[in-house]
Amino acid sequence: MTGTLVLAGTPIGDTADAPPRLAAELVAADVIAAEDTRRLRRLTQALDVQPGGRVVSYFEGNESARTPELVDALAGGARVLLVTDAGMPSVSDPGYRLVAAAVERGIAVTAVPGPSAVLTALAVSGLPVDRFCFEGFPPRKAGERLARLREAAGERRTLVYFEAPHRLADTLAAMAEVFGADRRAAVCRELTKTYEEVRRGPLEELAAWAAEGVRGEITIVVEGAAEPGPDEAGPAELARRVAVREAAGERRKEAIAAVAQAAGIPKRVVFDAVVAAKNAAQDGPREGKGHH
């Protein structure tokens, strides 16, 4: 008889949001795998429970090495509870490897639903919630971040991101460049905590606000792209979209094809727009020299 892997959601800020079943699972588990054992200790104290089994650490640095050990315990009949620092395990947190390994071995996997920064931010953002996608943390390096955002530029669904506070301004500025300065967004800071704040507005405006410095846990919600139309973007805008893709490392031919497909127009139209923009840039200096 194999055991059961239990993924338990933990509070993202307010410990009063802990699901009632969490306390029972903490007592019943044979093994508790925690992203941070010190945080787990504070949580159990807040819930006034004593863990019933042994506690082991399970974080990014030891996830690969510890997974086989936990799978063996599950195979032997143990009930293993996985908790991370906040929210649901495996959602931008450790857990995916363990879930995949357990499923491969035919071990039962269940969950204790709990708080989620993704869904909480989405719900309070004021942006469409009927269709959305979670993009996790954008890449740290500017070029890689720009390329990742470019991939999502035509996404119609509402986009949800996590971000570190010290990179927020740069990420919002990159989003304004790729998605458009007027694209609506919401920055959700310190959700469910004492200093919770939700800033809503165009990406350009939010980037300027974030440049002054922001602290705390951050979730960004961005409005999806508008439905394309042949007359929606003029030549200058089409050329700008191609330039953004080229700046991110894409070849011009592929960039033109991608922009055309996203806008629902022939590639020739985009090509002509790029040529016109290039000619305009070259003509400008010549006119200036004529006046001197």
Side-chain angles (χ1 to χ4, degrees):
M1 177 83 63
T2 57
T4 300
L5 172 61
V6 182
L7 311 177
T10 55
I12 59 176
D14 190 339
T15 55
D17 293 334
R21 275 180 54 205
L22 177 58
E25 290 290 353
L26 286 166
V27 174
D30 300 302
V31 181
I32 301 173
E35 185 177 9
D36 187 327
T37 56
R38 293 166 299 181
R39 287 202 182 194
L40 173 65
R41 191 177 306 115
R42 290 197 292 271
L43 178 61
T44 56
Q45 290 172 348
L47 298 178
D48 194 26
V49 296
Q50 183 68 34
R54 66 187 176 96
V55 176
V56 299
S57 63
Y58 189 75
F59 59 97
E60 186 178 357
N62 73 353
E63 191 175 359
S64 295
R66 181 140 283 170
T67 293
E69 171 191 330
L70 293 174
V71 171
D72 286 343
L74 287 162
R79 190 172 186 84
V80 176
L81 179 68
L82 176 61
V83 294
T84 54
D85 291 348
M88 284 299 297
S90 82
V91 180
S92 277
D93 276 332
Y96 168 74
R97 287 187 179 90
L98 182 56
V99 173
V103 170
E104 187 177 348
R105 290 282 292 271
I107 295 167
V109 180
T110 188
V112 176
S116 165
V118 175
L119 295 180
T120 302
L122 185 68
V124 303
S125 69
L127 297 172
V129 299
D130 53 334
R131 298 175 67 231
F132 72 94
C133 56
F134 175 56
E135 291 287 316
F137 282 92
R140 296 183 180 185
K141 295 183 178 179
E144 294 176 6
R145 179 170 58 227
L146 200 62
R148 182 73 60 80
L149 293 175
R150 172 176 51 78
E151 292 175 3
E155 175 60 61
R156 307 281 187 271
R157 294 171 294 181
T158 299
L159 300 155
V160 184
Y161 294 87
F162 287 159
E163 188 52 290
H166 61 280
R167 289 194 295 270
L168 179 62
D170 289 341
T171 293
L172 289 172
M175 286 178 172
E177 177 184 348
V178 176
F179 298 158
D182 294 331
R183 180 85 72 89
R184 293 189 301 162
V187 177
C188 305
R189 187 180 72 85
E190 295 289 87
L191 287 169
T192 77
K193 299 178 183 177
T194 302
Y195 298 105
E196 175 179 291
E197 180 182 17
V198 180
R199 296 283 294 218
R200 304 175 182 88
L203 281 168
E204 186 174 53
E205 180 182 301
L206 291 173
W209 162 74
E212 300 176 5
V214 178
R215 294 182 179 181
E217 301 287 335
I218 303 292
T219 305
I220 308 170
V221 186
V222 184
E223 182 180 34
E227 291 291 335
D231 59 347
E232 191 172 290
E237 172 60 16
L238 293 173
R240 186 195 71 82
R241 294 175 187 177
V242 171
V244 167
R245 288 176 171 272
E246 284 192 274
E250 193 168 331
R251 294 173 58 188
R252 178 167 293 181
K253 182 177 179 181
E254 284 74 16
I256 288 173
V259 170
Q261 182 179 11
I265 57 178
K267 287 187 287 186
R268 184 70 195 182
V269 174
V270 182
F271 175 80
D272 289 344
V274 172
V275 171
K278 182 178 179 181
N279 290 338
Q282 291 174 344
D283 289 343
R286 283 202 296 269
E287 291 177 4
K289 289 178 182 177
H291 289 290
H292 292 282

